[in-house]
Amino acid sequence: MTEKELRIGSSRKTVLANTKATAYSLLERFSGRRHALVGAALTRIMLGAIGLYYYLRDYLHRSFLWGPEGVWPWQNITGPDNDALSVYSLSKSETWFQLLFHAGAVIALLFMLGWKTRAMTVLHYIFLWSLQQRNPLLLDGGDNATAIALFFFVFIDSGSRFSLDARSRRRKQVKPDSGSMRYRIGSLLHHAGVLAVILQVCTIYLVSGMYKVQGERWQNGTALYYILRVGEFGWPGVNHLVYEHATLVVVMTYATVFFQIAFAFLLLKRSLRPFAVTCGVLLHLGIAVFMSGLLTFSATMIALELLIMGDEHYRRLGDRVQKLFGKRGSLEPAAHAG
């Protein structure tokens, strides 16, 4: 074997060794400790509140809107051409509907509070999905993002902070066994779920931005003007404060497109994540205010974006709040769920 071949072989072994070391380091990092726990808890609280809002918003008219004899014909969810799954379709009994509806509201509340979080996540997903399938005319697009996110939240440890579960573990002084196989597998699933939700948000923004780029009105900067003039979603007496200013409309139209396309790339640099999340929150607050009919969609997107920032970002934010109000928030690590 020549000297050149020996050098190539040695180089390959070095690269392989470095690759293995990096892989083991990443495995240890993401299996030995769970990240994004604060963001997961905040997202859980908001998703639970949004789910509860679905139940309480039209509570007095629940039978008319969601019931078996409601405005959306029963055969639309039970007919042979319908493939939507809903526990409401199991019986046409009014009693069955009332039982499921009120159970779903209680489950949404318990999920928001973080009681038996993992089980409540599964139940909340099933009950909210079933309710949404009962009358799709009442949905605004946020339901799709919520359903996908709740599926991934089954794997996310969202009850480690700001939850009744965390409070119970602190009271009992239960600490996680971070060296156990169960904890490590749970940590890997947790991080996979977090990554899946983040990719979901990035996909929504990227696809939306790419569609906008192809639109003539987005290209010439007038799209926001026409959007704010839509009577179905507009807020009378408020929207004109924006669309009457041509320069502002053009700037906001282009800024929306640029932000949505750049969002995923901004997340690649950790220090830019708070900026990206802040812009996303402001964008959807604007949608919630000036397109009031898309309230739940905006709230859902804000909830999902809160998961993107790491615990260290929230810790720094908590320190700033402490300086402003002289009181320290409870963002310290709590016992993790297994």
Side-chain angles (χ1 to χ4, degrees):
M1 186 176 290
T2 64
E3 183 178 349
K4 182 178 179 180
E5 291 175 335
L6 289 174
R7 285 200 303 269
I8 294 175
S10 176
S11 177
R12 288 177 177 174
K13 290 181 180 179
T14 302
V15 171
L16 182 60
N18 291 337
T19 302
K20 287 183 178 180
T22 301
Y24 285 131
S25 176
L26 290 174
L27 182 62
E28 178 63 28
R29 176 186 176 187
F30 289 107
S31 66
R33 179 185 175 189
R34 297 179 185 179
H35 304 268
L37 293 175
V38 175
L42 295 176
T43 302
R44 184 203 78 238
I45 292 171
M46 282 200 67
L47 290 180
I50 294 168
L52 190 60
Y53 170 77
Y54 273 112
Y55 290 98
L56 299 182
R57 177 186 59 186
D58 305 307
Y59 182 79
L60 297 178
H61 308 286
R62 61 189 180 279
S63 294
F64 174 73
L65 296 174
W66 309 99
E69 302 295 339
V71 63
W72 189 249
W74 179 255
Q75 60 268 22
N76 284 6
I77 68 168
T78 59
D81 297 330
N82 188 282
D83 57 356
L85 299 176
S86 174
V87 293
Y88 288 91
S89 65
L90 298 178
S91 173
K92 201 176 180 180
S93 166
E94 179 68 19
T95 302
W96 176 253
F97 163 73
Q98 295 292 345
L99 178 64
L100 290 180
F101 189 90
H102 288 86
V106 173
I107 289 170
L109 177 62
L110 294 177
F111 170 69
M112 181 179 69
L113 296 177
W115 182 79
K116 303 294 183 183
T117 310
R118 193 83 66 179
M120 289 302 110
T121 303
V122 176
L123 292 176
H124 182 51
Y125 170 70
I126 295 173
F127 274 73
L128 187 60
W129 169 268
S130 296
L131 181 70
Q132 292 169 345
Q133 295 305 305
R134 178 63 191 94
N135 190 347
L137 294 179
L138 299 178
L139 308 179
D140 63 4
D143 55 288
N144 290 326
T146 300
I148 296 173
L150 284 176
F151 174 79
F152 293 130
F153 257 73
V154 173
F155 307 99
I156 295 176
D157 183 8
S158 63
S160 287
R161 309 286 178 87
F162 315 130
S163 68
L164 295 178
D165 287 344
R167 182 181 179 183
S168 176
R169 286 192 292 270
R170 285 196 301 270
R171 186 182 304 170
K172 297 177 181 178
Q173 297 183 345
V174 176
K175 295 183 179 180
D177 182 7
S178 58
S180 67
M181 183 61 66
R182 177 185 177 184
Y183 180 87
R184 288 181 176 275
I185 293 175
S187 296
L188 292 175
L189 291 174
H190 165 80
H191 292 119
V194 170
L195 179 60
V197 174
I198 294 175
L199 290 176
Q200 177 191 358
V201 176
C202 292
T203 301
I204 291 173
Y205 277 134
L206 185 60
V207 171
S208 179
M210 294 303 295
Y211 269 107
K212 286 181 174 63
V213 168
Q214 302 174 54
E216 180 181 353
R217 289 174 179 171
W218 287 99
Q219 293 175 5
N220 60 32
T222 62
L224 191 61
Y225 170 83
Y226 293 101
I227 291 174
L228 294 175
R229 296 299 300 270
V230 176
E232 182 179 359
F233 298 108
W235 190 353
V238 176
N239 286 14
H240 73 91
L241 298 176
V242 176
Y243 67 66
E244 289 180 353
H245 298 80
T247 302
L248 180 61
V249 168
V250 172
V251 171
M252 293 179 65
T253 299
Y254 287 140
T256 300
V257 178
F258 291 146
F259 165 73
Q260 290 186 327
I261 294 178
F263 182 82
F265 302 99
L266 292 174
L267 300 187
L268 296 177
K269 189 171 180 59
R270 182 177 294 272
S271 60
L272 293 178
R273 291 178 188 176
F275 170 75
V277 171
T278 300
C279 289
V281 170
L282 291 176
L283 170 65
H284 288 286
L285 283 177
I287 293 175
V289 171
F290 295 104
M291 300 184 69
S292 54
L294 298 177
L295 179 61
T296 54
F297 169 74
S298 300
T300 299
M301 290 302 299
I302 291 174
L304 299 185
E305 286 168 348
L306 294 178
L307 184 61
I308 295 174
M309 290 206 305
D311 291 336
E312 67 280 5
H313 295 130
Y314 285 109
R315 203 165 286 119
R316 285 198 293 267
L317 181 61
D319 291 339
R320 293 180 182 178
V321 172
Q322 178 191 7
K323 292 180 181 178
L324 288 175
F325 299 100
K327 185 177 181 180
R328 185 172 182 80
S330 181
L331 293 180
E332 297 301 321
H336 308 314

